[in-house]
Protein backbone atom coordinates (compact mmCIF):
# COMPACT_ATOMS: atom_id res chain seq x y z
CA UNK A 1 0.00 0.00 0.00
CA UNK A 2 2.78 2.45 0.87
CA UNK A 3 4.07 2.60 -2.69
CA UNK A 4 0.60 3.57 -3.89
CA UNK A 5 0.96 6.76 -1.86
CA UNK A 6 4.12 7.86 -3.62
CA UNK A 7 3.60 10.24 -6.57
CA UNK A 8 5.75 10.08 -9.70
CA UNK A 9 6.52 13.77 -9.54
CA UNK A 10 6.05 16.70 -7.19
CA UNK A 11 5.75 20.40 -8.01
CA UNK A 12 4.96 23.50 -6.04
CA UNK A 13 2.18 24.62 -8.40
CA UNK A 14 0.47 23.64 -11.64
CA UNK A 15 2.44 26.23 -13.64
CA UNK A 16 5.70 24.44 -12.70
CA UNK A 17 4.72 21.12 -14.30
CA UNK A 18 6.84 20.37 -17.42
CA UNK A 19 3.96 19.98 -19.88
CA UNK A 20 6.31 19.63 -22.85
CA UNK A 21 7.87 16.56 -21.25
CA UNK A 22 4.46 15.09 -20.42
CA UNK A 23 3.35 15.63 -24.01
CA UNK A 24 6.56 14.11 -25.39
CA UNK A 25 5.91 11.09 -23.16
CA UNK A 26 2.49 10.61 -24.74
CA UNK A 27 0.29 12.15 -22.03
CA UNK A 28 -2.87 13.69 -23.50
CA UNK A 29 -5.47 13.73 -20.71
CA UNK A 30 -5.18 15.69 -17.45
CA UNK A 31 -7.49 14.55 -14.65
CA UNK A 32 -7.18 17.24 -12.02
CA UNK A 33 -8.40 17.82 -8.51
CA UNK A 34 -10.04 21.22 -7.92
CA UNK A 35 -9.72 22.47 -4.33
CA UNK A 36 -6.22 23.48 -3.32
CA UNK A 37 -4.82 22.08 -6.56
CA UNK A 38 -6.28 24.53 -9.10
CA UNK A 39 -7.68 27.08 -6.65
CA UNK A 40 -7.92 27.68 -2.91
CA UNK A 41 -11.18 27.11 -1.05
CA UNK A 42 -11.66 30.83 -0.61
CA UNK A 43 -11.88 31.64 -4.32
CA UNK A 44 -15.39 31.89 -5.72
CA UNK A 45 -14.28 32.24 -9.35
CA UNK A 46 -11.31 30.95 -11.36
CA UNK A 47 -8.33 33.30 -11.13
CA UNK A 48 -6.78 34.92 -14.21
CA UNK A 49 -3.79 32.61 -13.72
CA UNK A 50 -6.08 29.59 -13.83
CA UNK A 51 -7.76 30.71 -17.07
CA UNK A 52 -4.29 31.27 -18.54
CA UNK A 53 -3.18 27.78 -17.44
CA UNK A 54 -6.25 26.17 -18.97
CA UNK A 55 -5.77 27.94 -22.31
CA UNK A 56 -2.08 27.08 -22.36
CA UNK A 57 -2.41 23.36 -21.71
CA UNK A 58 -5.38 22.98 -24.05
CA UNK A 59 -3.49 24.78 -26.80
CA UNK A 60 -0.65 22.27 -26.29
CA UNK A 61 -3.07 19.45 -27.04
CA UNK A 62 -4.16 18.22 -23.62
CA UNK A 63 -7.74 17.55 -22.59
CA UNK A 64 -8.61 18.61 -19.02
CA UNK A 65 -11.27 17.06 -16.78
CA UNK A 66 -11.86 18.18 -13.17
CA UNK A 67 -12.39 15.30 -10.73
CA UNK A 68 -13.34 16.61 -7.29
CA UNK A 69 -14.45 14.94 -4.08
CA UNK A 70 -16.54 17.98 -3.26
CA UNK A 71 -20.25 17.53 -3.74
CA UNK A 72 -20.89 21.23 -3.87
CA UNK A 73 -22.25 23.25 -6.78
CA UNK A 74 -18.94 25.06 -6.62
CA UNK A 75 -17.32 22.30 -8.72
CA UNK A 76 -19.89 22.76 -11.46
CA UNK A 77 -19.58 26.55 -11.26
CA UNK A 78 -15.81 26.48 -11.74
CA UNK A 79 -15.90 23.82 -14.43
CA UNK A 80 -18.54 25.72 -16.38
CA UNK A 81 -16.63 28.98 -16.20
CA UNK A 82 -13.46 27.21 -17.30
CA UNK A 83 -15.43 25.26 -19.90
CA UNK A 84 -14.05 21.87 -18.94
CA UNK A 85 -15.95 18.66 -18.11
CA UNK A 86 -16.12 17.63 -14.46
CA UNK A 87 -16.96 14.85 -12.02
CA UNK A 88 -18.06 15.92 -8.55
CA UNK A 89 -18.42 13.79 -5.39
CA UNK A 90 -15.72 11.56 -6.86
CA UNK A 91 -14.95 9.83 -3.54
CA UNK A 92 -11.22 9.52 -4.21
CA UNK A 93 -9.41 7.25 -3.18
CA UNK A 94 -12.27 5.14 -4.54
CA UNK A 95 -11.84 4.70 -8.27
CA UNK A 96 -15.35 5.49 -9.36
CA UNK A 97 -14.84 9.20 -10.01
CA UNK A 98 -11.70 8.80 -12.09
CA UNK A 99 -13.37 6.01 -14.07
CA UNK A 100 -16.38 8.22 -14.67
CA UNK A 101 -14.06 10.94 -15.99
CA UNK A 102 -12.67 8.44 -18.50
CA UNK A 103 -16.20 7.72 -19.68
CA UNK A 104 -17.04 11.39 -20.25
CA UNK A 105 -13.71 12.17 -21.97
CA UNK A 106 -13.87 13.16 -25.64
CA UNK A 107 -12.26 9.87 -26.69
CA UNK A 108 -10.95 6.64 -25.23
CA UNK A 109 -7.56 7.09 -23.54
CA UNK A 110 -4.97 4.44 -22.72
CA UNK A 111 -3.63 4.51 -19.15
CA UNK A 112 -0.21 5.67 -20.41
CA UNK A 113 -1.87 8.81 -21.90
CA UNK A 114 -3.27 10.02 -18.57
CA UNK A 115 -1.86 12.15 -15.76
CA UNK A 116 -3.59 12.84 -12.45
CA UNK A 117 -2.94 16.09 -10.55
CA UNK A 118 -3.80 16.60 -6.88
CA UNK A 119 -2.66 17.98 -3.55
CA UNK A 120 -3.46 15.03 -1.27
CA UNK A 121 -1.74 11.70 -0.79
CA UNK A 122 -4.71 9.92 0.77
CA UNK A 123 -7.19 10.80 -1.97
CA UNK A 124 -5.63 12.01 -5.24
CA UNK A 125 -2.36 10.09 -5.22
CA UNK A 126 -3.78 6.88 -3.79
CA UNK A 127 -6.65 6.74 -6.32
CA UNK A 128 -4.36 7.52 -9.24
CA UNK A 129 -1.71 4.98 -8.30
CA UNK A 130 -4.34 2.30 -7.76
CA UNK A 131 -5.27 2.80 -11.42
CA UNK A 132 -1.53 2.78 -12.31
CA UNK A 133 -1.73 6.30 -13.76
CA UNK A 134 1.06 8.84 -13.90
CA UNK A 135 0.64 10.94 -10.76
CA UNK A 136 1.72 14.46 -9.95
CA UNK A 137 1.46 15.76 -6.40
CA UNK A 138 1.21 19.52 -5.87
CA UNK A 139 1.64 21.67 -2.83
CA UNK A 140 -1.76 22.70 -1.43
CA UNK A 141 -2.44 26.32 -2.41
CA UNK A 142 -3.81 27.37 0.99
CA UNK A 143 -3.80 24.80 3.78
CA UNK A 144 -5.22 27.20 6.37
CA UNK A 145 -8.68 27.10 4.80
CA UNK A 146 -8.88 23.31 4.48
CA UNK A 147 -12.13 21.68 5.57
CA UNK A 148 -12.39 19.08 8.35
CA UNK A 149 -12.26 15.87 6.24
CA UNK A 150 -9.12 17.19 4.60
CA UNK A 151 -7.57 18.04 7.97
CA UNK A 152 -8.19 14.44 9.02
CA UNK A 153 -6.64 13.19 5.77
CA UNK A 154 -3.59 15.35 6.46
CA UNK A 155 -3.10 13.62 9.82
CA UNK A 156 -3.25 10.25 8.07
CA UNK A 157 -0.95 11.60 5.40
CA UNK A 158 1.65 12.53 8.00
CA UNK A 159 1.39 9.07 9.52
CA UNK A 160 2.05 7.43 6.14
CA UNK A 161 4.78 9.90 5.20
CA UNK A 162 6.70 8.71 8.26
CA UNK A 163 6.18 5.09 7.21
CA UNK A 164 7.32 5.78 3.65
CA UNK A 165 10.41 7.57 4.94
CA UNK A 166 11.20 4.54 7.06
CA UNK A 167 10.47 1.71 4.60
CA UNK A 168 11.24 3.36 1.25
CA UNK A 169 13.89 5.95 2.12
CA UNK A 170 15.15 6.37 -1.44
CA UNK A 171 11.72 6.92 -2.96
CA UNK A 172 10.88 9.26 -0.10
CA UNK A 173 14.02 11.24 -0.79
CA UNK A 174 13.36 11.41 -4.54
CA UNK A 175 9.61 11.99 -4.65
CA UNK A 176 8.42 13.35 -1.32
CA UNK A 177 11.20 15.10 0.51
CA UNK A 178 10.55 18.44 -1.17
CA UNK A 179 6.79 18.09 -0.60
CA UNK A 180 7.32 17.50 3.11
CA UNK A 181 9.73 20.39 3.38
CA UNK A 182 7.44 22.81 1.54
CA UNK A 183 4.17 21.64 2.93
CA UNK A 184 4.09 23.65 6.09
CA UNK A 185 5.76 26.73 4.71
MG1 LIG B 1 -7.59 19.00 -3.13
Amino acid sequence: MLKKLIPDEYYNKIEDIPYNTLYANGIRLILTDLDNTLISYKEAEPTEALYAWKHKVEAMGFEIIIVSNSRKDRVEHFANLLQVPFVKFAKKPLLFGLKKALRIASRKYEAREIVVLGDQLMTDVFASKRLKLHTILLKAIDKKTEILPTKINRKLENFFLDKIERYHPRLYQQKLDLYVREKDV
Side-chain angles (χ1 to χ4, degrees):
M1 181 209 167
L2 281 183
K3 280 198 173 169
K4 292 199 166 61
L5 293 171
I6 303 174
D8 298 293
E9 303 178 60
Y10 164 74
Y11 299 99
N12 194 296
K13 54 186 192 297
I14 51 170
E15 286 86 357
D16 296 343
I17 294 170
Y19 296 97
N20 283 320
T21 308
L22 291 182
Y23 196 88
N25 289 336
I27 302 281
R28 296 294 182 270
L29 176 64
I30 297 174
L31 301 180
T32 181
D33 178 48
L34 177 68
D35 289 312
N36 259 348
T37 297
L38 297 186
I39 38 115
S40 75
Y41 286 95
K42 63 182 181 219
E43 303 284 355
E45 310 263 295
T47 58
E48 283 307 310
L50 185 55
Y51 281 114
W53 171 82
K54 173 240 152 76
H55 291 305
K56 181 191 147 183
V57 297
E58 279 189 350
M60 290 180 75
F62 294 99
E63 177 172 2
I64 302 167
I65 302 179
I66 292 173
V67 184
S68 172
N69 275 3
S70 171
R71 53 204 306 181
K72 297 194 184 119
D73 295 340
R74 161 183 170 79
V75 183
E76 194 166 351
H77 179 67
F78 269 94
N80 288 342
L81 286 171
L82 284 172
Q83 294 187 290
V84 298
F86 69 94
V87 176
K88 66 177 181 179
F89 200 29
K91 303 183 198 166
K92 294 169 281 183
L94 298 185
L95 306 181
F96 132 101
L98 291 175
K99 286 182 175 171
K100 186 173 175 193
L102 297 180
R103 289 198 301 275
I104 64 170
S106 65
R107 67 168 172 90
K108 188 174 178 347
Y109 287 92
E110 305 293 326
R112 60 181 166 75
E113 295 180 291
I114 303 165
V115 65
V116 175
L117 314 184
D119 68 296
Q120 284 193 63
L121 251 50
M122 304 314 298
T123 55
D124 307 309
V125 173
F126 193 36
S128 177
K129 295 305 283 186
R130 286 178 68 205
L131 287 176
K132 300 188 169 62
L133 301 176
H134 193 70
T135 308
I136 296 182
L137 176 67
L138 294 139
K139 179 177 164 180
I141 296 171
D142 180 13
K143 290 189 72 176
K144 291 187 293 293
T145 54
E146 281 180 341
I147 53 174
L148 186 63
T150 303
K151 287 189 198 299
I152 294 166
N153 276 333
R154 293 293 183 199
K155 298 241 188 266
L156 266 176
E157 182 176 294
N158 286 335
F159 172 81
F160 282 108
L161 281 167
D162 287 345
K163 292 248 178 267
I164 295 166
E165 185 178 20
R166 182 155 156 217
Y167 293 107
H168 302 288
R170 250 189 81 206
L171 279 172
Y172 179 89
Q173 205 61 36
Q174 290 168 346
K175 312 287 188 186
L176 286 165
D177 184 54
L178 196 58
Y179 172 67
V180 174
R181 276 194 277 145
E182 288 187 332
K183 144 182 157 102
D184 294 315
V185 180

